[in-house]
Amino acid sequence: MMTDDFSYDRLPYPSKFFVQTFPDRLATQATLFGMDPPAVETCRVLELGCGNGSNLIAQAYIMPKATFVGVDLGIGHIDDAKAAAAELGLTNVEFRQMDVMEMSEADFGKFDYITAHGLFSWIPDVVRERTLGLFAELLASNGVGYLSYSAYPGAHEREIAQRAMRFASRNISEPTEKVATALSFLKFAAENTPNRGTFQQTLANELKRHAVHAAADVFHDDLSDLNTPFYFHQFADMLGEHGLQFLAEAELHAMGTNDLSAAARNFVDSLDDAVEREQYLDFLRGRAFRQTLFVHRSADLERDLEPSIVDRFLIASSMRPAGAEPDLASAKVERFVGPKGTGIELDLPLAKTAIAKLGTVWGRALPFGELVEDSKRKLSEAGFAADDWESQIEIVRKIVLQIALASNMIELHVYQPTAETAASSMPRISRLARWQMKNAANVLTQFGLDMKIEDRVSRHLLQLLDGTRSRNAVFDELGKFIRSAHDIEGKHEILRTLPEWLDASLGDLARIGMFEA
Ligand SMILES: C[S@@+](CC[C@H](N)C(=O)[O-])C[C@H]1O[C@@H](n2cnc3c(N)ncnc32)[C@H](O)[C@@H]1O
């Protein structure tokens, strides 16, 4: 399928890492729905269309006992991936320039987890067919596959803008000029269409969507002649033709119904068939993109979730009590809020204590059993005695499951890499994070959190934390940096509070797993 003018060699794709493709996520969803997936810590992972390797490099770094193979048709992408792996000294990841059309089990054997992000909708039919064939052939019997793709009905809206952009830029071959021309026409059309109804709204929405996109995203995702969206039921049929079946969405809460009206929720929740349910959810939400997990048809899935399944997971939550001094050891209702301000109200002492605990260690996920024991101990110390802990624990299980299915305010995990829980006297953040600070938009913490660090002082701090400086030296150099920078707002206030800010920042960085164990 390689042409002399392979588009990804003309304009490389700015690949990132995607935690929703990591083995922990795939194994978590499989465990939730009744499977015993391969152990994450030592698993074998394949990524098809791995781009410049950013996704596998991040995983290989935080999971040193697992092994990773990335293949991509783009020579430039694979050269970049190999150079990055060498720079970070990674020996558990291999990159190979290869066409999925030519791959077979003879190349690398079978894999526990296979992913392909941003590939499936953007390749010819025959390559798509082979890609599914490879999943069926190379996936271990209890393994999990991941494919992302453009989805109808939402993609219909996108197509309106894409067709116009493609037409307006059809005679231009230089990629960045092509993108500029395409976007400029989209803006022109959005501002000048006489059709002020939903048509204008669609163009304006698309223009807004592209505001955060790099030229390469628009070039490959929107201007490519190859862009085939699917209705979910069509995708599920294709899986079936290859002996595979739908497992779950990579974002668990996308399968929930909490955001729907009561009528819509009742309707969707009355559907027994998982594929039908997902399809109706897409019709209701107008979904345009999917990240779907699947397994062999022979896998026996359990879709009626029992609360006891929660005992198999590590639990993480970013929720914090809304009040400064929450009353945890009584039946008083307390509100807990997530980072975006949405929240829940709880009155059960064990649930309140457990969620409050998770908030204090956020970044780290705790085994459910340990979390419960810790919370019981805290409540006992506060003088609270339950008549029947077992029934309280059962309610906590239900609450955890309900929130995890409805939002990302509670996350389930089956595996979490280790990290240093405090900054040392010569603080050193992971080499991966330092490398990503220079080469990528986001940083992956050892705990698997995807962090965007934008403010300049924090970015400079991370660069200083390479293990060669004491805390005092870090403090001095950071002060010098702030004093000499011309464009940092509120400089004097920052300098005045720098000692406290630095202590708090080192604490926060440790909490989210930035320091290597
Ligand atoms: C949109 S990019 C996605 C890259 C990366 N997975 C990401 O999401 O950032 C699609 C990738 O698939 C690769 N690709 C396209 N056709 C391929 C084929 N037949 N065999 C292997 N890789 C292919 C391209 O070179 C490109 O790197």
Side-chain angles (χ1 to χ4, degrees):
M1 282 297 122
M2 182 82 162
T3 62
D4 290 344
D5 199 18
F6 187 51
S7 65
Y8 290 98
D9 281 329
R10 289 172 57 214
L11 183 62
Y13 198 73
S15 297
K16 310 172 189 80
F17 63 87
F18 306 96
V19 292
Q20 67 274 27
T21 70
F22 286 15
D24 166 54
R25 183 68 66 86
L26 277 54
T28 294
Q29 256 67 323
T31 305
L32 187 64
F33 293 108
M35 288 176 67
D36 268 318
V40 167
E41 191 172 7
T42 51
C43 65
R44 292 197 78 220
V45 178
L46 170 67
E47 183 175 6
L48 302 171
C50 65
N52 67 14
S54 300
N55 196 31
L56 285 188
I57 281 174
Q59 295 173 56
Y61 192 91
I62 64 167
M63 298 177 55
K65 290 189 199 151
T67 45
F68 301 83
V69 173
V71 299
D72 198 283
L73 189 51
I75 298 167
H77 280 170
I78 290 297
D79 285 347
D80 288 348
K82 284 181 177 168
E87 197 181 330
L88 284 164
L90 297 173
T91 53
N92 58 338
V93 60
E94 174 182 353
F95 291 105
R96 199 176 299 174
Q97 194 238 333
M98 211 167 187
D99 189 335
V100 295
M101 292 304 288
E102 279 146 27
M103 268 186 88
S104 74
E105 193 179 335
D107 292 304
F108 305 101
K110 286 195 186 278
F111 291 89
D112 299 318
Y113 300 99
I114 306 180
T115 69
H117 185 74
L119 179 79
F120 197 70
S121 281
W122 297 270
I123 44 181
D125 289 344
V126 53
V127 185
R128 196 164 20 252
E129 187 61 20
R130 182 63 198 135
T131 300
L132 282 171
L134 278 176
F135 273 98
E137 205 176 306
L138 304 186
L139 197 60
S141 59
N142 59 343
V144 184
Y146 166 107
L147 275 170
S148 64
Y149 48 98
S150 180
Y152 286 133
H156 283 301
E157 272 205 321
R158 293 192 178 175
E159 281 174 343
I160 290 173
Q162 283 162 348
R163 292 299 158 105
M165 287 161 74
R166 262 188 251 166
F167 186 81
S169 62
R170 70 193 181 287
N171 294 325
I172 302 170
S173 65
E174 199 286 313
T176 43
E177 193 190 338
K178 191 176 180 75
V179 170
T181 304
L183 286 174
S184 149
F185 179 70
L186 179 59
K187 183 167 186 290
F188 178 79
E191 287 168 358
N192 291 285
T193 173
N195 184 340
R196 310 303 288 177
T198 47
F199 185 72
Q200 196 236 357
Q201 194 55 53
T202 301
L203 298 178
N205 287 347
E206 282 297 288
L207 194 60
K208 195 164 154 212
R209 192 171 68 82
H210 288 310
V212 295
H213 288 161
D217 289 324
V218 179
F219 181 68
H220 295 294
D221 298 349
D222 296 273
L223 299 184
S224 167
D225 292 334
L226 295 170
N227 187 342
T228 315
F230 299 95
Y231 283 98
F232 178 69
H233 69 90
Q234 295 175 315
F235 181 79
D237 285 347
M238 286 189 273
L239 289 179
E241 284 158 20
H242 288 85
L244 300 164
Q245 63 170 323
F246 169 64
L247 168 70
E249 276 300 286
E251 302 287 4
L252 197 54
H253 56 89
M255 299 170 71
T257 52
N258 233 34
D259 59 327
L260 303 182
S261 69
R265 205 178 315 138
N266 285 341
F267 166 64
V268 173
D269 286 340
S270 73
L271 301 167
D272 285 333
D273 183 80
V275 171
E276 210 178 318
R277 185 187 151 96
E278 288 297 306
Q279 182 58 78
Y280 277 115
L281 277 173
D282 284 6
F283 284 135
L284 284 163
R285 294 199 175 111
R287 198 162 178 159
F289 185 68
R290 269 190 167 265
Q291 308 178 104
T292 299
L293 308 185
F294 47 90
V295 294
H296 285 290
R297 190 166 38 216
S298 52
D300 199 8
L301 300 182
E302 177 52 79
R303 298 219 175 259
D304 289 327
L305 303 183
E306 290 293 332
S308 60
I309 192 78
V310 169
D311 296 15
R312 294 187 66 181
F313 296 107
L314 306 165
I315 319 288
S317 174
S318 53
M319 281 190 285
R320 299 279 168 87
E325 285 183 30
D327 181 352
L328 303 178
S330 78
K332 182 170 172 245
V333 174
E334 290 288 350
R335 190 170 164 73
F336 291 80
V337 288
K340 291 187 181 149
T342 49
I344 53 157
E345 292 189 339
L346 296 171
D347 60 2
L348 191 79
L350 191 62
K352 289 190 289 183
T353 310
I355 301 290
K357 166 77 183 181
L358 290 175
T360 62
V361 299
W362 179 74
R364 205 141 55 88
L366 301 179
F368 181 75
E370 191 184 299
L371 175 65
V372 163
E373 284 313 310
D374 183 88
S375 305
K376 275 167 63 179
R377 198 170 45 247
K378 280 215 179 76
L379 283 171
S380 304
E381 282 163 15
F384 176 85
D387 304 333
D388 177 7
W389 280 117
E390 225 5 85
S391 64
Q392 285 218 16
I393 295 170
E394 188 66 1
I395 299 172
V396 177
R397 288 188 182 107
K398 286 183 186 158
I399 291 172
V400 165
L401 199 53
Q402 204 183 356
I403 302 175
L405 290 169
S407 76
N408 54 7
M409 291 195 298
I410 282 190
E411 288 172 19
L412 307 178
H413 297 272
V414 289
Y415 170 78
Q416 187 166 56
T418 50
E420 209 55 78
T421 49
S424 68
S425 55
M426 303 284 278
R428 183 170 61 94
I429 62 164
S430 82
R431 252 175 331 123
L432 174 71
R434 274 181 279 135
W435 181 84
Q436 288 173 325
M437 289 289 293
K438 280 194 241 136
N439 298 290
N442 288 21
V443 171
L444 180 72
T445 80
Q446 289 295 114
F447 287 149
L449 299 181
D450 179 349
M451 307 298 295
K452 195 171 190 71
I453 296 165
E454 283 174 308
D455 93 272
R456 288 190 52 212
V457 180
S458 300
R459 287 187 74 85
H460 194 74
L461 169 63
L462 292 192
Q463 293 296 359
L464 293 174
L465 300 178
D466 61 0
T468 64
R469 297 172 181 83
S470 66
R471 282 172 178 241
N472 283 346
V474 169
F475 176 79
D476 290 344
E477 285 201 35
L478 199 58
K480 256 188 244 159
F481 167 76
I482 297 168
R483 274 187 288 275
S484 65
H486 297 298
D487 49 355
I488 293 180
E489 261 179 54
K491 223 162 138 160
H492 296 296
E493 183 57 16
I494 296 176
L495 283 168
R496 196 180 62 75
T497 54
L498 196 58
E500 298 80 22
W501 183 86
L502 183 58
D503 275 350
S505 295
L506 291 176
D508 286 345
L509 290 172
R511 203 165 42 76
I512 61 175
M514 278 294 223
F515 297 108
E516 266 170 288

